[in-house]
Amino acid sequence: MNKVSSNAIQAQGYYSVSAHWKAIFSRPARKVPLDAGFTCPNRDGTVSSGGCSFCNANGSGTGLHSAMSLTQQWDHWRERRRAVWGDVALVGYLQAFSNTHGPVSRLRGVLEELATIPDLDGLCLGTRPDCLDQEKIQLLADFPARELWLELGLQSSNPATLARVNRGHGSECFARSAEMAAGMGLKVLAHVMAGLPGETPADWDETVRFVNALPVAGIKFHNLFVAEHTPLANDYRAGLVQPPTLEDYAAWVGRSLSALRPDIVVHRLAADPAQGELVAPAWAGDKRAVHNAIMAEIRRGGIRQGVAWSVSA
Ligand code: SF4
């Protein structure tokens, strides 16, 4: 644990990405969404055509790729960020779908264009662990940015859960890719989801233990929510699935923070549904209330990240 993480944990209970980036950039940072127009192998038939059962077919994209180049998207969002936040560091975020899917030449083209943007201070790239090889990881590792994060979807370490939600890859695939990427110098971030169908709180605890044991440098916690036009929405309407309550979710996050390695940067405490997609639970649409509930849980329990973590756990 370094001084930055230790101070952040003392101040707010966990090592937040805002504290991390303030130390790196000497000022606050904001993300800039970038949509490079990639697809997902779990949707385009490479792995499956159904997608993960909880995933909206928009894949969290802005959809701007069809109208604007990446540089134009950057200019578009930068103006808005600067107007609201002033002189902040700007971190590009390739979020939509799987941004290493397809031939390596495609990824190379994207990174070459991004490398020409002078005020891009950092880059986060989201993908699936089964869309990576050594050549793609090396391309990423060579990208000239002060902060470079590879965001990999895991969701759960339980193979039965991954099969149930049609994830299309196993946890061993995540472990392999995380180890390869971290070994080549990338900061690896794991996406995990609480309340997946059929899971118990013990499964969630096990997923956090699984992440702790890998060379993972960051984590995003997500609560399961039901999005419109997904297989999960059909199951929810048929009464087969029930998303967690806010009270349960806040308690689970609190417990996970206690168990989480103290050097892992927490990039997100809860999911953030896109406008118009949320079916249930209603609380998932109230970002401030969710944040407040988690912070209240942290205060109530005197929670400090890593306090229940041990090397042998
Ligand atoms: S959650 Fe990610 S991996 Fe799953 S279908 Fe959606 S874009 Fe693909």
Side-chain angles (χ1 to χ4, degrees), residues 127-266:
T127 193
R128 287 167 55 94
D130 58 355
C131 291
L132 286 166
D133 56 31
Q134 214 164 353
E135 197 178 0
K136 289 176 180 173
I137 292 172
Q138 191 60 58
L139 264 182
L140 275 168
D142 290 341
F143 186 79
R146 286 162 73 188
E147 270 286 271
L148 207 47
W149 286 88
L150 177 66
E151 302 199 11
L152 293 180
L154 168 64
Q155 316 310 350
S156 169
S157 63
N158 185 325
T161 306
L162 295 179
R164 201 177 295 122
V165 301
N166 192 39
R167 187 69 200 162
H169 65 74
S171 55
E172 72 295 337
C173 171
F174 178 93
R176 225 178 11 253
S177 290
E179 275 161 2
M180 196 194 308
M184 292 169 73
L186 288 175
K187 287 180 184 154
V188 175
L189 184 155
H191 285 236
V192 295
M193 190 174 286
L196 285 165
E199 286 226 321
T200 63
D203 290 311
W204 171 247
D205 293 346
E206 183 49 41
T207 296
V208 174
R209 269 196 294 276
F210 180 84
V211 170
N212 275 339
L214 290 169
V216 164
I219 196 164
K220 280 185 175 175
F221 293 116
H222 299 267
N223 48 294
L224 178 77
F225 68 86
V226 181
E228 198 56 272
H229 309 304
T230 61
L232 193 70
N234 299 335
D235 288 349
Y236 173 73
R237 289 187 170 114
L240 302 173
V241 173
Q242 198 54 49
T245 64
L246 177 54
E247 292 69 29
D248 281 347
Y249 182 67
W252 294 348
V253 171
R255 215 175 52 237
S256 307
L257 289 173
S258 296
L260 191 67
R261 263 186 14 234
D263 61 292
I264 293 182
V265 181
V266 179

Side-chain angles (χ1 to χ4, degrees), residues 261-282:
R261 263 186 14 234
D263 61 292
I264 293 182
V265 181
V266 179
H267 285 240
R268 179 177 276 280
L269 290 171
D272 189 12
Q275 196 152 24
E277 74 170 346
L278 181 64
V279 173

Side-chain angles (χ1 to χ4, degrees), residues 71-181:
T71 310
Q72 288 167 332
Q73 291 179 43
W74 180 266
D75 292 343
H76 169 85
W77 291 113
R78 177 188 45 204
E79 294 316 309
R80 283 156 179 76
R81 294 288 182 272
R82 292 256 190 259
V84 176
W85 302 105
D87 179 31
V88 288
L90 295 172
V91 177
Y93 184 22
L94 289 160
Q95 177 180 18
F97 294 111
S98 305
N99 290 279
T100 56
H101 182 39
V104 69
S105 56
R106 177 109 194 260
L107 177 64
R108 184 179 292 112
V110 166
L111 295 177
E112 281 175 356
E113 181 176 355
L114 294 180
T116 65
I117 298 176
D119 52 0
L120 187 144
D121 297 301
L123 182 65
C124 298
L125 179 143
T127 193
R128 287 167 55 94
D130 58 355
C131 291
L132 286 166
D133 56 31
Q134 214 164 353
E135 197 178 0
K136 289 176 180 173
I137 292 172
Q138 191 60 58
L139 264 182
L140 275 168
D142 290 341
F143 186 79
R146 286 162 73 188
E147 270 286 271
L148 207 47
W149 286 88
L150 177 66
E151 302 199 11
L152 293 180
L154 168 64
Q155 316 310 350
S156 169
S157 63
N158 185 325
T161 306
L162 295 179
R164 201 177 295 122
V165 301
N166 192 39
R167 187 69 200 162
H169 65 74
S171 55
E172 72 295 337
C173 171
F174 178 93
R176 225 178 11 253
S177 290
E179 275 161 2
M180 196 194 308

